[in-house]
Amino acid sequence: MSTRRAPTLEDVAARAGVSRATVSRVVNADPRVRATAREAVSRAVTELGYRPNRAARALVKRAPDSVAVVVPETDQRVFSDPVIMEMLRGISEGLEETPLQMVLVLGRAGRDTDRLERWLRGGHTDGAIVLSAHLDDGVTSALSEIGLPTVMIGRPPGPEQGLPFVDLDNVDGGRQATDRLVARGCRRIGTVAGPVDMAASRDRLAGWRESLDAAGLADDAVEHGDFSSEGGRLAMRRLLAAHRDLDGVFVASDLMAAAAVSELQAAGRAVPGDVAVVGYDDSPAAQLTVPRLTTVANPGDRMAREATVMLRELLAGRPVSSRVLPTHLVEGGTA
Amino acid sequence: MSTRRAPTLEDVAARAGVSRATVSRVVNADPRVRATAREAVSRAVTELGYRPNRAARALVKRAPDSVAVVVPETDQRVFSDPVIMEMLRGISEGLEETPLQMVLVLGRAGRDTDRLERWLRGGHTDGAIVLSAHLDDGVTSALSEIGLPTVMIGRPPGPEQGLPFVDLDNVDGGRQATDRLVARGCRRIGTVAGPVDMAASRDRLAGWRESLDAAGLADDAVEHGDFSSEGGRLAMRRLLAAHRDLDGVFVASDLMAAAAVSELQAAGRAVPGDVAVVGYDDSPAAQLTVPRLTTVANPGDRMAREATVMLRELLAGRPVSSRVLPTHLVEGGTA
DNA sequence: CCGCGTCGTGAGAGCGCTCTCACGTACTGT
DNA sequence: ACAGTACGTGAGAGCGCTCTCACGACGCGG
């Protein structure tokens, strides 16, 4: 019906009997406006239902006003979603005090690379934060080529594109987990590792290996899972079949670990009595098992927060370098 | 270092030896430009690395360009995250073909109402989609008061604010789940319901009741959980203690259902032999149990997609009315 | 050969806002 | 008393883009 033009600064100014500039000052909380004028203006604002036009504002102050948060569409089954939500929250909190809006860009990894790339080139945002480097190189290389200020969350697999990243110390996480197994007396320690194409998986595996090497134990009991529950179950089954003397397992994700625990129990092994288990992520899934999983913290929100700090640096024109944050073991009953 | 001003239309025009208008035409794929001019322009565009300024464009064409996706910060433990990601994906897909950007706005329900409200009033976006009506009324009423085109995903609890919503037919879902239990011969059917303050919980509970009433069975075995795993476990324990003759349970979420199954098994009841169980959500958690949960589909992405359609209607100035989408049972081994 | 329509193009007027600058007006200090 | 200094305010110039309008250069039919 009424396609009445939205009220502008001018309208408010007219109504309040002041100039556009004064209204602008009031709206932007500039202190040097007389109280009476201020009141007149705010009254006019509410009466007219004035809302500043973001585009016009953005046009004149060329301050960055939005960042793209690129989320590779995780395969449904990967179930890494809780971590993603955690990261989104972290970013949201990190951006809370800034005028930056977070623009979500989802894409099915692989399939949508082109569309994503085109969008990113479109200059819709002033920067980007890329979640989880599971993404094809297409997007990350496009990003570094475009020159859009970008921070990756999670170290990218493959050669580094020169893009700064934040990551958690997965090597140390794997080591701590395995150290715990060693410390409680396990002598035959296997691992259910993650997919080989992910940096986090490789790092955790490397940590496991380092710990075993340091303890002088064998490091040949390795099976890979896909971070899904079912994948974890199957990997555990293979591991158990290949190494019947297993007395400890480091599983690279809680979801897989939960499945591994139930698989072990189904096979008649008491956890942690016969086989001790340490998971990874400290996710809600860690609390599903009985007893509750011993796991490694993997605070996605901290990483995300750090990423926002780094991105703000980049937007301010200052260079940043990648950061690796520390992790720690979370006590549970399985190791 | 070089804070070189980004190239503008003018720069491109100068370089290509044409006017601003012509460049604009080329950039916007206006057909009535001679081939030679078109080429000159595109060359200049790539040479200069020209990217149109979104703000300037948005300023002149007052077409809506972004929608806020308001996500109440789910309590960590609620773990409803997978559903949220699903919805986000649905919105993303629904907006894919439009120029609309999705701006994520997270807020801890209750705590952040003020900030959220202020932000929404700020006119940063042209519309809003609100996920899960767990939110205090503050936000939804602010939204309807501001007059920002808004669609709710999930029927709001409490009195309706006049905001259109999409929802899944939770009453029918609860009924279908319970009908299944009745059909397989259960005579003493309980339910682990969700929190009383959520519309979805209440609806599912109502469906359970309708089914039992229709079958002439008792409908007094009710316990409430908080949708968390632990909450489900405890509720199941209470339910079992109060009604030892239970032979069927409808659990209002898969996460709680998975915990309920393990609780039943721990209590020596075979599932589905002694007690049949139907969950809700068809979430990844449904596949964690052995046997796999029988559950009710709860396609968040479909709802979300529908929400984008409705929002686009609203943005086009057309009125929309709320929609309730059908659900169906998903076969599993627990009922 | 003239008038008319068509096509490609350029000039220029905004879109709604911020911000600089200059201009009062009311204080201070001497 | 008067210069000096705030302080509050308004005028006006853009920000980079789109779009209307007018205009010259054609091609056509009469």
Side-chain angles (χ1 to χ4, degrees):
Chain A
M1 209 94 307
S2 66
T3 313
R4 233 198 352 262
R5 200 174 48 74
T8 73
L9 259 199
E10 197 89 42
D11 302 329
V12 177
R15 176 132 190 162
V18 297
S19 76
R20 221 167 52 239
T22 300
V23 178
S24 176
R25 289 189 186 102
V26 172
V27 171
N28 294 289
D30 187 316
R32 36 180 201 168
V33 176
R34 215 180 331 175
T36 60
R38 181 186 309 283
E39 273 168 37
V41 170
S42 13
R43 198 169 335 108
V45 164
T46 56
E47 282 170 4
L48 262 42
Y50 169 76
R51 286 187 332 198
N53 178 318
R54 181 179 173 81
R57 180 176 287 177
L59 179 56
V60 49
K61 4 186 1 166
R62 308 94 150 345
D65 78 335
S66 62
V67 319
V69 177
V70 182
V71 182
E73 184 64 31
T74 56
D75 185 353
Q76 278 278 58
R77 336 218 49 223
V78 173
F79 203 74
S80 60
D81 304 0
V83 181
I84 292 194
M85 277 307 294
E86 210 175 280
M87 291 178 178
L88 292 180
R89 182 162 42 80
I91 296 175
S92 167
E93 286 177 8
L95 259 30
E96 203 150 280
E97 300 306 326
T98 75
L100 294 172
Q101 289 189 167
M102 65 191 272
V103 175
L104 239 206
V105 192
L106 303 184
R108 287 162 298 251
R111 249 199 62 188
D112 286 343
T113 309
D114 278 1
R115 189 178 58 83
L116 235 60
E117 193 179 328
R118 223 176 318 116
W119 193 88
L120 290 167
R121 282 187 191 283
H124 300 290
T125 60
D126 306 291
I129 292 179
V130 180
L131 296 201
S132 157
H134 209 337
L135 225 47
D136 321 75
D137 280 338
V139 172
T140 62
S141 63
L143 242 11
S144 69
E145 182 197 323
I146 300 170
L148 196 69
T150 302
V151 175
M152 315 269 307
I153 294 188
R155 184 158 61 77
E160 310 203 356
Q161 304 283 349
L163 294 177
F165 61 83
V166 222
D167 205 354
L168 287 158
D169 195 337
N170 285 295
V171 175
D172 191 52
R175 183 169 29 219
Q176 286 189 44
T178 314
D179 282 352
R180 156 60 57 100
L181 294 171
V182 172
R184 86 188 311 275
C186 301
R187 309 276 78 190
R188 187 59 175 130
I189 302 174
T191 185
V192 173
V196 281
D197 63 334
M198 290 181 65
S201 308
R202 290 206 300 260
D203 287 353
R204 290 170 199 175
L205 181 58
W208 170 79
R209 194 151 266 144
E210 283 182 21
S211 170
L212 293 184
D213 293 355
L217 296 173
D219 64 354
D220 61 328
V222 180
E223 288 291 338
H224 287 272
D226 60 359
F227 277 156
S228 78
S229 181
E230 194 52 24
R233 184 183 306 284
L234 296 175
M236 188 66 239
R237 191 171 299 168
R238 291 195 300 274
L239 200 60
L240 204 51
H243 311 277
R244 306 208 55 84
D245 55 338
L246 221 57
D247 58 2
V249 197
F250 163 49
V251 187
S253 87
D254 282 350
L255 199 67
M256 293 201 295
V261 167
S262 94
E263 181 66 26
L264 283 167
Q265 289 168 339
R269 311 293 181 101
V271 177
D274 300 327
V275 183
V277 177
V278 179
Y280 209 106
D281 283 346
D282 191 24
S283 75
Q287 299 166 15
L288 280 174
T289 63
V290 186
R292 180 182 279 217
L293 273 178
T294 294
T295 184
V296 179
N298 195 26
D301 51 345
R302 276 228 23 225
M303 255 199 299
R305 226 185 164 113
E306 194 65 28
T308 63
V309 173
M310 292 167 65
L311 187 61
R312 283 158 67 183
E313 287 293 300
L314 285 178
L315 289 175
R318 290 185 286 270
V320 304
S321 46
S322 300
R323 304 215 224 291
V324 175
L325 309 177
T327 355
H328 64 270
L329 202 71
V330 175
E331 297 296 337
T334 60
Chain B
M1 210 96 306
S2 66
T3 314
R4 232 194 357 259
R5 200 174 48 76
T8 74
L9 258 199
E10 197 88 41
D11 301 327
V12 177
R15 176 132 191 165
V18 297
S19 76
R20 220 167 54 237
T22 301
V23 178
S24 176
R25 290 189 184 102
V26 172
V27 171
N28 293 291
D30 188 316
R32 37 179 201 171
V33 176
R34 216 179 333 176
T36 60
R38 182 186 310 283
E39 273 168 37
V41 170
S42 11
R43 199 170 334 110
V45 164
T46 56
E47 283 170 4
L48 262 43
Y50 169 75
R51 287 186 332 199
N53 179 316
R54 181 179 172 82
R57 180 175 287 175
L59 178 56
V60 49
K61 359 183 10 161
R62 304 90 154 350
D65 80 332
S66 62
V67 319
V69 177
V70 182
V71 183
E73 185 64 32
T74 55
D75 185 352
Q76 277 280 59
R77 336 219 48 225
V78 172
F79 202 74
S80 61
D81 305 359
V83 182
I84 292 195
M85 275 310 293
E86 210 174 280
M87 292 179 179
L88 292 180
R89 181 161 44 79
I91 296 175
S92 167
E93 286 176 10
L95 259 29
E96 202 150 282
E97 300 307 325
T98 75
L100 295 171
Q101 289 188 167
M102 69 191 269
V103 176
L104 239 208
V105 192
L106 304 184
R108 286 163 297 251
R111 249 200 61 188
D112 286 344
T113 309
D114 277 1
R115 189 177 58 83
L116 236 59
E117 193 178 329
R118 224 176 316 116
W119 193 88
L120 290 166
R121 283 187 190 283
H124 299 289
T125 61
D126 306 292
I129 292 178
V130 180
L131 296 202
S132 158
H134 208 339
L135 225 47
D136 322 74
D137 279 340
V139 173
T140 62
S141 64
L143 242 11
S144 70
E145 181 196 323
I146 300 170
L148 196 68
T150 301
V151 175
M152 314 269 306
I153 294 188
R155 184 158 60 77
E160 310 201 357
Q161 304 285 347
L163 295 177
F165 61 83
V166 222
D167 205 354
L168 286 158
D169 196 337
N170 286 295
V171 175
D172 191 52
R175 182 168 31 220
Q176 286 188 45
T178 315
D179 282 353
R180 155 60 56 100
L181 294 171
V182 171
R184 86 188 312 273
C186 300
R187 310 276 77 190
R188 186 59 175 131
I189 301 174
T191 185
V192 173
V196 281
D197 63 335
M198 290 180 65
S201 309
R202 289 205 302 260
D203 287 353
R204 291 171 198 173
L205 181 58
W208 170 81
R209 192 152 268 144
E210 283 182 19
S211 170
L212 292 184
D213 292 356
L217 296 174
D219 64 354
D220 62 327
V222 180
E223 287 291 339
H224 287 271
D226 60 0
F227 278 156
S228 78
S229 182
E230 194 53 23
R233 184 184 306 283
L234 297 175
M236 187 67 239
R237 190 171 298 168
R238 290 196 301 273
L239 199 59
L240 203 52
H243 311 276
R244 306 209 56 84
D245 54 338
L246 221 57
D247 58 3
V249 196
F250 164 48
V251 187
S253 87
D254 282 350
L255 198 68
M256 292 201 296
V261 166
S262 95
E263 181 66 25
L264 283 168
Q265 289 168 339
R269 311 294 181 101
V271 177
D274 299 328
V275 182
V277 176
V278 180
Y280 210 106
D281 283 345
D282 190 24
S283 75
Q287 300 166 15
L288 280 174
T289 62
V290 187
R292 180 183 281 219
L293 272 178
T294 294
T295 183
V296 178
N298 195 25
D301 50 346
R302 277 229 20 228
M303 255 200 300
R305 223 182 166 116
E306 193 64 30
T308 63
V309 173
M310 292 167 65
L311 186 61
R312 283 158 65 184
E313 287 293 300
L314 284 179
L315 289 175
R318 290 186 285 271
V320 304
S321 48
S322 300
R323 303 215 224 290
V324 175
L325 309 176
T327 355
H328 64 269
L329 202 71
V330 175
E331 297 296 337
T334 59

